[in-house]
Amino acid sequence: MATSSLARSHSTEPDIRLEDYLDDKLQSTADFENLDGLIASVEVQRSQLQTQLDDAVRELEDARRSAEDRQGGLSQSISEFRALQQSIDARLKIVANSTAPDEAIRRLEGPMQQLHKVELAYQYVSLLQDVESMRLEARSHLPHSPKAALEPYTRLKQLSARLRELQRAADGAATHVVEHVEATTDALWKEMKNIMSQEMEAILKQRNWPREVDVNGEMDSEWLRCFEKLIDLQVPEVLYSESTVALLPFEVMTKPFEQWFRFQFMGNSATSSPQSFGTFCVPQFISLIDRWEAFFRENVGHILFSRFRDTNVGDRSVYVDPACALLTAMLPVMREKIDMVLQEGLTNPQFLSSLIIQITNMDDELRSRFNYDGGNQDQGWPGLAAEVLDKHFDVWLKAEKEFALERFRAILSASDARNIDYDYSTPGKMKPTYGAVRVTDLLRTVTSQYERVRRFTHKLRFLIDIQLEILDEYHDRLKDSLDAYYTITSTIGRTLHGVTREQLAALEGTGAFETLCKVLGSADHIVNTLKDWSNEEFFITLWEELQARAHKNSGREILAGGMSHEHVKDRISSAVGTNEDTGILFDETIAAYSARRKTAEEFLVSALIDSHQKAFRPYLGKPQWTTISSDLEIDPSQLAITPELDEPLQILQRNLTFLASALSTAVYRRIWRTPLEKLEDMLWGDVLLRQNFTTLGAAQFVRDLQAIFSLVDRHIPDSSTGMGTLRDGAQLLSLPVATADGGVTLQQASDRIFTDNTEAKKTLAELELDSLTPVLARKILQRRVEYSE
């Protein structure tokens, strides 16, 4: 087709290239001579072109056929895929609507489960075979090579721990296998220790330990080698144990000591009685440890040091100190003894109280004598008493509380409990009542009962449930006493509640002062005692621990010992749980007693003022201030005291003397300040500015004031200076009508003071009456009869 197209094109239209070619080759007539060669050359070229054209046509045909073949194959593949997809869709619909697969799965579940069980059983059997193999291997190395026995035992121990760890992750699966492996491990360890212990026991039997062994002697080489083998066996247990363990050789060597202890103190002998615990059992126990301490130190101290020196327990005395290791091995039998004695204590509270003290004393003795820390270098050994209290603290607390409250009520019921103890302190110090002193002694005794207790919650319970309970009850007694006094002395109280003659008689004389001084002295004694205690190391530590616990548990309702934050704050201090640095352990109690002390002081001041008003009433109404004398200048010191002032002076002296014996110097001066001011106001207003005076009357008034000032200054030095205005006023009032020594007379002073304020101030300054103002000076001068004339 292509060839014919080319031929038609050639026949109808001249080929330009052909024309150019002929023009090039046939440019002259000579060129026609070579026409045959040219035709032959053209023919050759035509043949080559034809060959190329045939090849191109053939390749085109081959490519067309190949493309058609590929197109047909692709179409067939598409058709086959679509058919397959339709087949799959159809089968999926059939499967989806069919239950045959579920039934097949259900039929296979049983065999599969059975197969799983078989595989699991096989694994279990293999595991048990491995366990038994490790057990036998460890057993085969004993007793000659305990270190070699530790290798299979360690693998078994690690396997046991790993199984327990995997079991927790698997929600407790394979319980029997895990327990079996653990039991096998524990049994193997006991068997290993028993085998090695038997070897040690045989050596001890040969040497008749401890009867024929000198406490100052030395252990032979065979004995020491056996000791070393037991230590080597136990090294892994010591290193990886979370709690303190007794060293195996010490357990073996203390068996005779335990037998002796059981025979002496846990049998039927007199020394086995509970009452003999503190007098025989404890001293003998400590003596036993003390006797053999040097023997173990000298013989095995270097072994322990070499085995544990560079380990993680190298700083724990229970493993490197032979005396502490010996004590650790002996403590279990003492625990058994204490458990036996406790049975008596739980039914006898009084014995329980003394038993706890005896156990605590023993703990302290063991700590101090042997430097025993129980394996806890930081916090120390809690002691056997702590173990007892962890189980029976509530019983002990109840017993101690009953004893303390019983003793407290006996103190208050004593005949002299409300009497002031004038011999308690030196003069110038507060004098509490016998009851207050005994209450603080009781509280100190209670502190000694629990200050050696190790747990914070136990200390806090003792403080709040016993000590603060007693303090609160005693505070209520003081408050009731003040309330009763107020009821008797106040008009409202007498009207509402009435008052008996006996009650009024009890307040006559110094009765009221004594009643108030009892409360004041007792409250002050409690406040000062609690403040002193708050500075003691025990209570400071307790306060700091309370604050730390409060901050740590700030988000929880319960603070400690079942007590809430609010309850503890109400009973101890509002600063609990805050960042304040001012709080102390007895804040709330001190505040309550301080309030009672303040109230008693206020009542005492009022009682003094009332006493003085009643005593000076006859003196204030004395009309003899206008008696005339022929003497123009009178020396007051030569006059006798006004008769009406005798009784007020006696009462004033009585009050001063009594309060000086009961109050401290500071409180004494503070309390008298206001009554003396009131006395000055009374003499100033009711005598000096109300009465009229002659020269003799003014001198007499000055003499009376001198007596009052002298009496007050004898008891309260320089206190009359506070009454300086009254003194100056009396001095101005007593100016003479005439004077022989050229001093200022009444007339001269009056003329100058009434001139003007400037002259009045100048005159008062010359007379050294600085406390008087011109106005007061004029009022005073007007009270002189001679001035009126």
Side-chain angles (χ1 to χ4, degrees), residues 135 139 186-196:
R135 188 188 72 82
R139 178 68 177 79
D186 295 339
L188 175 61
W189 178 242
K190 292 179 181 179
E191 185 179 8
M192 293 169 65
K193 292 198 295 185
N194 288 336
I195 293 173
M196 299 305 300

Side-chain angles (χ1 to χ4, degrees), residues 266-291:
M266 300 175 69
N268 297 321
S269 62
T271 56
S272 299
S273 64
Q275 288 71 23
S276 301
F277 177 77
T279 55
F280 293 100
C281 180
V282 173
Q284 290 295 321
F285 179 82
I286 296 177
S287 176
L288 174 66
I289 305 298
D290 186 62
R291 180 186 179 190

Side-chain angles (χ1 to χ4, degrees), residues 684 688 702 723-736 744-746 749-750 753 759-778 780-781:
W684 177 276
L688 181 59
V702 171
M723 306 171 72
T725 304
L726 180 61
R727 186 194 301 272
D728 291 348
Q731 183 178 343
L732 179 63
L733 178 70
S734 63
L735 287 176
V744 178
T745 64
L746 175 65
S750 299
I753 288 174
E759 186 64 25
K761 291 179 180 180
K762 182 178 180 181
T763 303
L764 294 174
E766 292 176 0
L767 295 174
E768 297 182 352
L769 305 177
D770 298 331
S771 63
L772 297 179
T773 63
V775 176
L776 291 178
R778 292 170 188 140
I780 292 172
L781 291 174

Side-chain angles (χ1 to χ4, degrees), residues 18-32:
L18 178 58
E19 293 178 357
D20 292 337
Y21 177 78
L22 294 176
D23 289 337
D24 180 59
K25 294 297 182 178
L26 300 177
Q27 295 181 0
S28 64
T29 56
D31 292 333
F32 285 102

Side-chain angles (χ1 to χ4, degrees), residues 362-378:
M362 180 184 67
D363 291 342
D364 291 343
E365 181 74 11
L366 295 177
R367 293 189 190 98
S368 61
R369 178 175 294 191
F370 304 108
N371 197 25
Y372 188 71
D373 59 13
N376 191 333
Q377 189 178 19
D378 296 330

Side-chain angles (χ1 to χ4, degrees), residues 258-274 337 340:
E258 292 183 8
Q259 293 173 355
W260 167 82
F261 185 89
R262 293 180 187 277
F263 175 78
Q264 291 288 337
F265 307 112
M266 300 175 69
N268 297 321
S269 62
T271 56
S272 299
S273 64
K337 173 62 179 177
M340 293 176 59

